[in-house]
Amino acid sequence: MKAEECEKGMIAALKAEDSSKLQKISEDSECKFASEVHEVQKEKIAKVKRDIERKKRKEEYEKQRKEREALYAKQKMEREAELARRKQEEADKQKAFEAEYQKNVTQLTAMSYPDFYKSLKACGYRMSSAQCKAAHKLKDTKRKAEIVNLIKKYPEEKLKDFRSSKCKGIELDREYCNLATKAKRKQDQDKVEFYVNNKADFAKDFNECHKIYIKLTKAKYGEEAPYRKALQKFQCRVARDAAMKYKIWNFKKPIAL
């Protein structure tokens, strides 16, 4: 209050152009001291205000930081919970798919090959369903089993006839034509291997074919067909292939037993 009083007096003296009064106030010790103290006081007050403001800002920052951290923690928990839910959902789906897949494996394994092939054909290249995945998984195994089955069902020359029926004309069946071709090849290879490991059986069958060959060479013109056909049948066809393993190239000479 003293400092303000002195300041007002100086302002009034300046306005009144009263230099003596202005000088008196300027040199007044109380006015000087009050003014100095008042400046110090204003600075202290300003510092206190600044300190209070900084503290408020710091508290607000800490409050916001804690709120952000709490929000982040909540969001993280929600994300982890959602991830766990999705993982569990995916695990449940996979478990159900695997159970369905195993069920289809059992069913398809028990199916006859024609029925199995219908299911496989319906799937095309898709493997998204449990049934189609199982069908594609079993494809090679089922085909190999059917090749063995064809060899048992159609022994020797009958397999050649079956293959012919499936590989031409209106009865063309590409799948069974392919299977029968592989079955015929395997049947021939298995018999050749048998002859290689059982020379006595080979010699016996080879000599039967040798007799047919001799009859062919002695047959009259126009009467050769039955003998040529006989030499093309399973026994002689395979015996000829096996003979090559023994470095025998034709049926001209018999094999000593």
Side-chain angles (χ1 to χ4, degrees):
M1 289 173 65
K2 181 63 177 177
E4 288 176 356
E5 179 186 326
C6 294
E7 185 177 0
K8 287 177 181 178
M10 290 183 71
I11 291 170
L14 284 169
K15 286 181 178 180
E17 297 182 354
D18 188 341
S19 57
S20 60
K21 187 176 181 180
L22 180 62
Q23 184 177 358
K24 182 179 179 182
I25 295 171
S26 299
E27 293 175 353
D28 185 271
S29 59
E30 286 189 359
C31 284
K32 284 181 180 182
F33 181 75
S35 179
E36 290 174 1
V37 171
H38 184 47
E39 287 300 318
V40 171
Q41 188 180 46
K42 284 196 296 183
E43 180 60 31
K44 286 183 178 180
I45 292 171
K47 183 178 182 301
V48 169
K49 286 182 178 180
R50 287 195 300 272
D51 291 343
I52 292 171
E53 187 62 30
R54 276 197 297 270
K55 184 179 179 182
K56 286 173 66 177
R57 285 199 302 268
K58 184 177 180 181
E59 289 174 349
E60 183 64 24
Y61 172 80
E62 284 298 313
K63 179 184 176 183
Q64 291 177 356
R65 184 182 64 78
K66 289 179 180 179
E67 288 175 351
R68 285 196 302 270
E69 288 178 353
L71 178 61
Y72 293 155
K74 180 183 177 184
Q75 290 174 338
K76 183 180 178 182
M77 288 178 63
E78 289 174 349
R79 286 195 301 270
E80 289 174 348
E82 177 63 15
L83 182 61
R85 185 191 68 78
R86 289 181 181 179
K87 283 184 177 180
Q88 186 60 49
E89 187 179 89
E90 187 62 28
D92 291 343
K93 284 182 180 178
Q94 186 61 34
K95 186 177 180 180
F97 183 90
E98 187 62 27
E100 185 67 17
Y101 168 76
Q102 292 299 335
K103 177 183 174 183
N104 276 278
V105 167
T106 301
Q107 291 175 344
L108 291 169
T109 299
M111 276 186 185
S112 66
Y113 189 80
D115 291 338
F116 169 80
Y117 185 66
K118 286 179 184 177
S119 295
L120 178 65
K121 196 172 181 181
C123 289
Y125 293 103
R126 292 179 293 107
M127 294 181 66
S128 53
S129 70
Q131 182 180 2
C132 290
K133 182 181 177 182
H136 280 282
K137 180 72 174 178
L138 292 171
K139 177 174 61 179
D140 291 341
T141 301
K142 292 288 286 186
R143 281 176 174 162
K144 288 177 182 177
E146 186 63 5
I147 287 170
V148 172
N149 182 55
L150 289 177
I151 292 172
K152 290 179 180 178
K153 189 175 181 181
Y154 301 100
E156 301 185 355
E157 202 62 22
K158 289 182 180 180
L159 183 56
K160 182 181 177 182
D161 295 338
F162 174 78
R163 176 183 175 279
S164 296
S165 71
K166 296 298 181 182
C167 291
K168 64 181 179 181
I170 58 174
E171 297 296 326
L172 174 65
D173 183 330
R174 295 187 185 281
E175 180 65 11
Y176 265 99
C177 177
N178 180 49
L179 290 175
T181 299
K182 290 180 178 179
K184 178 180 173 296
R185 187 182 303 124
K186 179 174 175 22
Q187 186 185 61
D188 289 2
Q189 289 172 345
D190 289 348
K191 190 66 173 181
V192 168
E193 187 175 342
F194 171 79
Y195 280 149
V196 169
N197 294 319
N198 299 272
K199 191 172 182 180
D201 292 289
F202 163 67
K204 178 177 175 295
D205 291 346
F206 180 91
N207 288 342
E208 290 297 320
C209 297
H210 162 71
K211 292 175 184 178
I212 297 171
Y213 175 79
I214 295 302
K215 289 178 181 179
L216 172 64
T217 61
K218 294 180 179 181
K220 294 179 181 179
Y221 179 76
E223 296 179 358
E224 305 98 329
Y227 305 113
R228 292 187 186 280
K229 186 175 181 181
L231 289 173
Q232 292 301 317
K233 287 188 175 181
F234 178 78
Q235 179 180 318
C236 292
R237 185 179 71 246
V238 177
R240 183 188 61 236
D241 292 343
M244 297 175 70
K245 302 288 185 179
Y246 291 103
K247 300 188 183 301
I248 300 170
W249 314 112
N250 52 55
F251 292 117
K252 290 181 179 181
K253 295 179 181 181
I255 296 174
L257 296 174

